[in-house]
Amino acid sequence: MEMMNWRSLVAAMCGAVLSLGVASAARAESGAGPEAMSMGNMCMVMFGYDMIHITVFQPDKSRSEYCSEIPATGRTIMAFDIETPAFRDLPIELRIIRDPLVPVTKDTNLDELTELHLPAKKYSKGTFSVEHEFTANGHYIGLVTLTREDGKQETEQWKFSVGETLWAWVPQIAGTILIAGMVFVYWKHTHPSPKKAKAPAETVES
């Protein structure tokens, strides 16, 4: 019975560690929520069912591709692929802002938060890229604004982080604590405390 309890405890802890890993991966790949999705290391900003793919590189550091988690500051290249042919004849504006950690609305002063800004322009070739030097770790928001034929503007966004942030370490820390707990429970199970010997009953002389 004790062995079954021990195995159940180990299984529960392993499940918890696995859940943390899955949750971390989901967070890393999730982009900005309903406005942005990701596939592997490529983000997709959605305008209805139409999309613009975004891939991030840091050529001075590695050949890897990134999406919502850029590992370090420094020279960064963002490549945009306009998948919908009709979008290639429409002006597209790009703005990268520092995440104010509150909802961005029409009343938000974007100029105070702007890290990078590309004015609206048509990209007839269907692709464009921008290079930027990130100097500070933190959370950022990419705003992509599309101007329709009738002049109506639509803005979608994706969120990303630059550099190691606290959230990047949460799964590792929690996993380490859980594993340490498993080791401690196992040690306690295999090294039970010696029982204290009962003192002999005192005899009363008559």
Side-chain angles (χ1 to χ4, degrees), residues 32-99:
E35 303 90 352
M37 300 185 298
S38 66
M39 180 182 296
N41 289 322
M42 183 181 290
C43 293
M44 295 181 284
V45 179
M46 305 297 297
F47 291 87
Y49 292 102
D50 298 312
M51 64 187 70
I52 296 177
H53 290 285
I54 307 163
T55 310
V56 183
F57 307 89
Q58 288 194 314
D60 297 335
K61 294 179 172 60
S62 74
R63 296 183 179 180
S64 300
E65 299 177 359
Y66 306 105
C67 178
S68 59
E69 290 189 347
I70 302 173
T73 57
R75 187 167 74 101
T76 303
I77 297 174
M78 298 181 178
F80 297 80
D81 293 314
I82 305 170
E83 296 294 326
T84 305
F87 286 2
R88 301 174 186 180
D89 296 323
L90 300 177
I92 295 176
E93 176 186 1
L94 172 66
R95 186 186 296 268
I96 306 295
I97 65 172
R98 295 177 295 278
D99 192 343

Side-chain angles (χ1 to χ4, degrees), residues 3 84 103 154 189:
M3 181 60 69
T84 305
E154 299 177 23
H189 180 77

Side-chain angles (χ1 to χ4, degrees), residues 88-160:
R88 301 174 186 180
D89 296 323
L90 300 177
I92 295 176
E93 176 186 1
L94 172 66
R95 186 186 296 268
I96 306 295
I97 65 172
R98 295 177 295 278
D99 192 343
L101 302 180
V102 295
V104 176
T105 67
K106 62 180 181 180
D107 298 322
T108 302
N109 189 338
L110 296 180
D111 291 335
E112 293 181 350
L113 302 171
T114 296
E115 181 83 11
L116 167 71
H117 181 224
L118 290 184
K121 179 182 177 180
K122 295 181 181 180
Y123 297 95
S124 58
K125 293 183 179 180
T127 183
F128 69 97
S129 62
V130 59
E131 181 177 314
H132 181 67
E133 183 88 14
F134 285 101
T135 59
N137 292 347
H139 295 271
Y140 296 83
I141 301 176
L143 302 173
V144 180
T145 301
L146 183 73
T147 302
R148 299 283 185 177
E149 294 90 339
D150 58 2
K152 181 181 178 181
Q153 291 187 330
E154 299 177 23
T155 300
E156 301 295 350
Q157 62 177 268
W158 88 98
K159 295 184 179 182
F160 61 94

